């Protein structure tokens, strides 16, 4: 039997529930609605992040709370992701659904996580009626970055680059504050708020002494981990060294190998990292094929010299140029109250797959 | 007396007439409508470019043709620019209007050309009723570049620059075809079609062997003059050397001084030139404060090395960066039929006046 109208409506509601949580961390966003035989909602649940109950478990718990034990017996569980079949920080949702006596499971996206998949098969084997792929595209979009990370087996890397019209990231004397406008800088904070870690090279710490925290954007949950890549020691007086000394989430990775960086961050359950620079680190990630998305802030400014936004990529001739798909272009206007501010053009790009 | 409804309507018609001609060459675009005492149109005229009759003279000629000699006696001349008072290739329009017995002149923009101004005063002194500044903003917009050139006392310089996202104008081996997409290249042809001269350095001729003609855009009138700046000889086999040998409008200026270049082009009656590169010539114009408008084509491409779009500007620190106002941003889409084509982002900018 295909999905009923009530089940599709419940799936839309489950997607809404899931979307309440920011798309960060090691776990997908999942929502669940339990329907009784009359198609009325028994309870709802959604996953609030690593270490908290999965959506199905939360919905079952609420069903018991409101209608007493056995409330979910014979019910239909509508859930945005195939119920998991593994022991992580919590037990398998499949066991919880079977234990509660759920008769039918309607799910959207199939679980792309090889460690957690097989839930549908186990449910079917236990006699539960299972229907998958209901509003699956919507569910995949909800966890697009998480899904990409699982497919890649490493964190998704978004490279943020800020430069002048002539591709300079800093002036001849190393100064770079500020090339882009205030709206662009706040945009970077919004990017940070959506990732698990922010990555820079030691050169950036030495040149700019950045803080790398989210300050000018809403943040749900913890600050992203701040990661410095490179062999040089951080000055004890630098903002990041002082933050580390104060026990904040700052980590130095003493390597130049982007693969090693991403392996370590994956191990730390990071699924999406923001690469903020500088030119040498960006080039190392690019050459390793480890840049997945690019957000480029281009200011209407000329410098004529100074550090380039990206270092040598090993490209010798135009036919070998690295080409990107242009997903979006936006003008971030200047603050009309501030004559020193500048507008910035934001380009959202993705490296072409052919390269 | 202010402008009557009929005179304002006639002025709109005169603006329409003027706009039929492309905005190129040493003369402004001007339209003229002659009204009789009943506010009905006697005749119309507009200026078709250097060496042809001025709009007023053309309108007077047509009046005689259609209604016989004396047709303009007592008439009102509605003209988009203050009638000229100087002997150029043609005699002063003031003399023609007085000779025809025009009783009233309603004009829009005052003549900003010091050599030609004073027309209104001479008409008044001869007893003609003169009203100025009717729809003057519209008339100024019609001849914006011409007016700017007169105010500057030199040709207006539009700098066209095409680069990668990281500000490169060519790859390490000098190849640059093609960084930007087809729509951008055709856009450059439209820019060329709107100017009197196209200017490049000898380095660009040696590297790219450009043709610099208008081929992929409609062209009214002659091809813009092609001007090469620099001391090096052009290879006899280059497209421009062959065009010059064939008698086409190609000129080499053996100097590195942008002021000298513009003086020479002004003398040749050029009012608007397109500076097409390369980096050294662009930097020389920029440093001399001789860039008035910028059209930047930025392709979603990375090179990581190769020639920068603009050479050293003598800027040492970010506070001294050259800042521009961003007038427009457009995405020129790629040809969907051609997988090798690329979209391009076009930025239209103007250097900030404070610098």
């Amino acid at each position: 039997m295909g999905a009923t109208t009530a089940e599709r409506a419940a799936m839309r509601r489950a997607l809404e529930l899931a979307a309440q949580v920011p798309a960060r961390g090691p776990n997908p966003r999942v929502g669940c609605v339990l329907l009784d035989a009359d198609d009325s909602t028994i309870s709802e649940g959604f996953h609030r992040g690593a270490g908290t109950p999965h959506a199905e478990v939360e919905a079952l718990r609420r069903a018991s709370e409101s209608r007493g034990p056995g409330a979910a017996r014979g019910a239909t569980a509508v859930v945005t992701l195939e119920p998991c079949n593994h022991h992580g920080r919590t037990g398998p949702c499949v066991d919880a659904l079977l234990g509660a006596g759920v008769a039918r499971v309607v799910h959207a996206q199939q679980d792309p996580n090889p460690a957690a998949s097989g839930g549908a098969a186990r449910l079917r084997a236990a006699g539960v009626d299972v229907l998958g792929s209901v509003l699956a595209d919507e569910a995949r979009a909800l966890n697009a970055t998480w899904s990409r990370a699982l497919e890649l087996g490493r964190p998704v890397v978004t490279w943020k680059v800020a430069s002048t019209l002539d591709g300079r990231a800093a002036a001849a004397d190393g100064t770079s504050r500020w090339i882009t406008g205030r709206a662009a800088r706040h945009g970077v904070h919004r990017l940070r708020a959506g990732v698990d870690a922010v990555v820079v090279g030691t050169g950036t710490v030495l040149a700019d002494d950045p803080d790398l925290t989210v300050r000018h954007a809403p943040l749900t949950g913890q600050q992203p981990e701040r990661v410095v890549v490179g062999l040089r020691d951080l000055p004890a007086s630098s903002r990041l060294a002082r933050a580390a000394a104060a026990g904040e989430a700052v980590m130095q990775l003493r390597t130049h190998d982007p693969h090693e960086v991403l392996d370590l961050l994956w191990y730390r359950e990071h699924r999406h990292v923001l690469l903020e620079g500088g030119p040498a680190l960006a080039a190392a990630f690019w050459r390793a094929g480890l840049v997945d998305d690019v957000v480029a802030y281009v200011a209407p400014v000329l410098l004529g010299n100074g550090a380039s936004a990206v270092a040598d990529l090993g490209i010798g001739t135009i036919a070998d140029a690295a080409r990107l798909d242009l997903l979006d272009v936006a003008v971030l206007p200047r603050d009309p109250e501030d004559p020193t501010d500048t507008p910035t053009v934001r380009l959202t790009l993705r490296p072409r797959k052919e390269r």
Side-chain angles (χ1 to χ4, degrees), chain A residues 316-332:
Chain A
T317 191
I318 192 70
D320 297 335
R323 296 189 177 269
L324 298 93
D325 288 320
L326 187 61
L327 306 186
D328 183 60
V329 176
V331 177
L332 312 182

Side-chain angles (χ1 to χ4, degrees), chain A residues 164-354:
Chain A
T164 63
L165 190 55
D166 58 330
R168 307 292 177 175
D173 66 352
T175 52
S176 64
R177 291 187 167 168
W178 297 106
I179 284 176
T180 55
R182 181 173 301 126
R185 300 197 296 275
H186 290 190
V188 172
H189 284 246
R190 281 193 295 279
L191 289 177
R192 287 178 187 164
V195 299
D196 303 313
V198 175
V199 180
V200 296
T202 49
T204 296
V205 177
L206 295 168
D208 295 346
D209 190 20
D211 184 72
L212 300 181
T213 52
V214 179
R215 300 181 303 281
H216 302 299
L219 176 71
T220 306
Q222 296 178 322
Q223 287 282 344
E225 187 163 43
R226 291 168 279 172
V227 178
V228 182
V229 174
L231 304 179
R232 287 179 285 183
D233 287 328
L234 305 188
S237 63
S238 66
R239 285 191 177 86
L240 289 179
R242 284 187 282 132
E248 295 174 29
V250 177
M251 182 170 58
Q252 181 168 8
L253 301 180
R254 292 184 188 265
T255 174
H256 282 140
D257 178 359
H259 287 285
E260 204 178 321
V261 171
L262 293 185
D263 284 351
L264 272 156
L265 296 179
W266 182 256
Y267 181 75
R268 292 176 71 78
E269 301 203 316
H270 295 329
R271 297 295 177 260
H272 190 189
V273 305
L274 183 67
L275 178 64
E276 289 211 27
L281 190 64
F285 272 77
W286 187 275
R287 294 179 80 151
L290 295 175
V291 172
D292 302 303
D293 289 301
V294 180
V295 182
Y297 295 96
V298 178
V301 171
L302 293 172
L303 276 168
N305 56 21
S308 291
V310 62
D312 195 348
L313 298 174
I315 295 166
T317 191
I318 192 70
D320 297 335
R323 296 189 177 269
L324 298 93
D325 288 320
L326 187 61
L327 306 186
D328 183 60
V329 176
V331 177
L332 312 182
R334 58 181 286 269
D335 179 350
E337 305 287 300
D338 178 359
T340 69
D341 197 19
T342 177
T344 311
V345 182
R346 184 190 66 206
L347 293 83
T348 308
L349 310 115
R350 188 165 284 185
R352 284 209 189 160
K353 290 194 192 79
E354 307 88 84

